[in-house]
């Protein structure tokens, strides 16, 4: 099946967590926020969930190389958007150093819980990609 069982399990758990978070956000914020704000949150959580599920499927040895490339692209895009958020935070709060420090400190848990797993996914996908290329 796959030698990356723990990484695949991590992605399946994350995918279900983000899907469940979308359901909770929808029912919790319905009526308190505008429909567009709720829809934006649901789209974002759907992208998170979809990335995790696509990556979990791509970590199976029998998955096509094209799916692995798509999963790697999604994971790199995920990291890119996070870095873009950090840059926007720095540029948006540059005149107020105390606010900038608080915002960057608030982004640290996101780095640990979102970016590092994406890097683990990329490493696993690259290993599978190179081993399947060497076998062919």
């Amino acid at each position: 099946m796959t030698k990356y069982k723990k990484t695949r399990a991590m992605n399946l758990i994350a995918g279900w967590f983000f899907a469940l978070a979308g359901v909770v956000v929808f029912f919790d914020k319905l009526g308190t926020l505008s429909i567009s704000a709720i829809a934006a949150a649901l789209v974002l959580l759907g992208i998170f969930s979809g990335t995790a599920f696509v990556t979990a499927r791509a970590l199976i040895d029998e998955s096509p190389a094209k799916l692995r490339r798509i999963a790697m692209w999604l994971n790199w895009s995920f990291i890119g958007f996070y870095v873009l958020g950090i840059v926007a935070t720095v540029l948006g709060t540059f005149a107020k150093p105390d606010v900038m420090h608080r915002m960057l400190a608030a982004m640290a848990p996101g780095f640990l819980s979102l970016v590092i797993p994406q890097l683990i996914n990329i490493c696993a996908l690259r290993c599978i990609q190179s081993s399947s290329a060497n076998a062919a």
Side-chain angles (χ1 to χ4, degrees):
M1 177 113 157
T2 181
K3 65 180 183 177
Y4 296 100
K5 290 182 175 138
K6 290 180 183 176
T7 307
R8 188 167 186 270
M10 172 189 72
N11 281 289
L12 289 172
I13 290 168
W16 284 112
F17 171 77
F18 287 128
L20 181 64
V23 171
V24 169
V25 164
F26 178 75
F27 287 115
D28 185 47
K29 300 300 179 184
L30 192 64
T32 59
L33 291 177
S34 67
I35 294 296
S36 59
I38 294 172
L42 292 177
V43 166
L44 186 63
L45 288 168
I47 290 170
F48 289 175
S49 181
T51 299
F53 286 133
V54 167
T55 303
R57 174 65 178 99
L59 285 170
I60 297 174
D61 290 334
E62 296 82 27
S63 64
K66 186 175 184 177
L67 181 64
R68 281 190 219 109
R69 283 193 302 272
I70 290 169
M72 283 188 358
W73 181 84
L74 286 170
N75 283 286
W76 276 118
S77 299
F78 203 102
I79 293 170
F81 283 127
Y82 196 82
V83 170
L84 186 65
I86 291 173
V87 169
T89 299
V90 169
L91 293 177
T93 60
F94 189 71
K96 304 171 195 147
D98 59 326
V99 175
M100 181 172 65
H101 292 297
R102 283 192 312 243
M103 292 293 286
L104 291 176
M107 289 183 146
F111 181 79
L112 293 174
S113 63
L114 297 174
V115 174
I116 291 178
Q118 302 305 324
L119 292 172
I120 292 169
N121 289 337
I122 290 167
C123 289
L125 288 165
R126 280 188 175 170
C127 288
I128 292 173
Q129 191 90 0
S130 66
S131 66
S132 66
N134 290 339

